[in-house]
Amino acid sequence: MYQLSIVLYQFTGYGPRVSYHKRCKPRGIVKRAIVDIFLHDTFLHDSTVSHHQTKDFAGIHQHSTLLLFRRVLTAKMAPKHGLFNKRIYIDAKDHLLGKLASYVSKAILEGNKVVVFNCDKINIAGSFYRNKIKYLSFLRKRCNVNPARGPFHHRAPRCIFRRTVRGMIPHKTTRGQQALRRMKAYEDIPARYTSQKTMVVPLAMRMLSLQRGRKYCDVGRLSHEVGWKYQHVVKDYEARRLEREAKRAQRLKIRHKLTREANKKVKKVIEPYNQVLRESGYYVPALV
């Protein structure tokens, strides 16, 4: 039982023989588990207690202590993902800023990991002139005593999107800070993510959410107008990426064609052997 208290210390940070003192305030189930383990260790290791008293105490409290300890371990070692085991990759092109941010904020608060691409292609409802005036007004909001205290005005599209998501979660709490760490945003698609399949959020897409004929603008253009200096860099990188993807698709097309031709030539030769395997009870997949 003393070993259980040692393991409990490793998971909770409280000592194995913590006395129930007012300065020691572990919360909830951890407090009850520590008290039970402390009493159990005392009875099992105290020479003044008789054998019958120790046996009675162990019979009454051992089961409940083990259940409490199991609940503590389950709470500490619970899986940290939410509805999806894998990451959610979102292509933010032609999505409205606020609606997409609300979906992402909900997802990361539930424990999901979200990666957002093409933040510079996110749309904002309203004309470009209107949104630029609003952002220039936001740039004037600062601390008169010391502007270095904030608020901080980010110009990059990924930072604008991140700040929008931050405003929708309790970012000053530990829960909100952990949720923000589960989100990543990029202006383009980095090389390590080029092979990932991306998804869209239909309820946040401009074509389905914004009334036809309404004006809108891109976050990338707005960022460029207010001081973002890397618009041309992102465009050059995106052009090179599309060129690499086109060459890769061409190579895959040629490889699939050669594979189909080879399968047709080999299919007639290996068919007698496949028939023997099928009669023996083995599964033989068909060649495509």
Side-chain angles (χ1 to χ4, degrees):
M1 204 60 197
Y2 187 75
Q3 285 75 10
L4 290 180
S5 59
I6 292 295
V7 178
L8 182 66
Y9 169 72
Q10 295 176 355
F11 279 90
T12 61
Y14 299 107
R17 282 175 171 265
V18 178
S19 61
Y20 191 67
H21 191 265
K22 63 180 181 179
R23 292 185 178 179
C24 176
K25 295 182 179 179
R27 296 180 178 180
I29 195 65
V30 177
K31 178 170 65 176
R32 294 167 58 189
I34 291 176
V35 172
D36 282 356
I37 291 176
F38 169 70
L39 295 175
H40 201 171
D41 291 344
T42 305
F43 271 83
L44 292 179
H45 293 85
D46 193 353
S47 59
T48 60
V49 180
S50 64
H51 173 71
H52 297 289
Q53 291 175 336
T54 305
K55 184 177 180 180
D56 294 338
F57 180 84
I60 295 174
H61 293 276
Q62 185 175 14
H63 182 66
S64 62
T65 304
L66 289 176
L67 289 179
L68 294 173
F69 182 68
R70 187 180 304 167
R71 288 174 61 185
V72 172
L73 290 183
T74 305
K76 298 298 289 186
M77 302 176 64
K80 296 182 179 180
H81 54 74
L83 299 177
F84 304 95
N85 293 332
K86 299 181 180 180
R87 291 185 178 181
I88 304 175
Y89 298 94
I90 299 177
D91 185 1
K93 183 179 179 180
D94 295 332
H95 286 68
L96 290 180
L97 178 63
K99 293 197 173 188
L100 180 62
S102 65
Y103 175 84
V104 172
S105 61
K106 184 66 174 179
I108 60 179
L109 284 175
E110 289 177 349
N112 302 296
K113 294 183 179 180
V114 182
V115 183
V116 183
F117 305 123
N118 294 326
C119 289
D120 58 328
K121 298 180 178 64
I122 296 178
N123 301 140
I124 305 177
S127 64
F128 172 74
Y129 180 78
R130 174 187 174 88
N131 286 290
K132 183 177 179 181
I133 293 297
K134 290 169 63 176
Y135 202 87
L136 292 177
S137 176
F138 168 66
L139 291 180
R140 291 193 294 270
K141 306 296 190 298
R142 66 172 192 169
C143 177
N144 287 332
V145 178
N146 185 7
R149 296 179 180 177
F152 303 103
H153 313 96
H154 300 288
R155 271 76 166 181
R158 68 177 187 277
C159 298
I160 293 177
F161 178 75
R162 182 182 179 86
R163 185 183 177 91
T164 307
V165 174
R166 194 193 72 170
M168 299 182 181
I169 63 176
H171 67 278
K172 293 187 178 181
T173 63
T174 303
R175 174 170 172 258
Q177 292 172 2
Q178 292 178 352
L180 272 179
R181 296 191 190 103
R182 288 191 287 268
M183 187 197 72
K184 294 182 179 180
Y186 301 95
E187 282 91 6
D188 52 2
I189 302 179
R192 60 180 179 275
Y193 294 120
T194 52
S195 60
Q196 294 290 344
K197 292 184 178 180
T198 58
M199 59 173 288
V200 297
V201 184
L203 295 178
M205 296 192 70
R206 172 182 51 82
M207 292 177 289
L208 300 178
S209 301
L210 196 63
Q211 188 176 0
R212 186 176 181 181
R214 296 293 184 179
K215 296 182 180 180
Y216 64 92
C217 67
D218 295 335
V219 177
R221 182 186 174 190
L222 179 64
S223 300
H224 177 70
E225 293 286 339
V226 296
W228 185 45
K229 303 177 182 179
Y230 299 97
Q231 187 181 32
H232 66 285
V233 176
V234 173
K235 285 186 177 180
D236 293 343
Y237 178 83
E238 187 68 12
R240 292 198 303 268
R241 186 188 68 83
L242 293 177
E243 185 179 355
R244 289 196 305 268
E245 290 297 319
K247 292 181 179 179
R248 180 173 175 271
Q250 187 67 21
R251 289 196 301 268
L252 289 177
K253 185 178 180 180
I254 296 174
R255 183 184 301 176
H256 292 333
K257 182 179 179 181
L258 294 177
T259 303
R260 287 194 300 269
E261 294 177 355
N263 288 340
K264 290 180 181 180
K265 294 180 181 179
V266 175
K267 187 175 182 180
K268 296 180 180 179
V269 179
I270 65 175
E271 184 60 29
Y273 304 101
N274 290 341
Q275 187 63 27
V276 174
L277 292 175
R278 293 191 188 97
E279 293 175 356
S280 302
Y282 292 97
Y283 170 74
V284 180
L287 294 176
V288 180

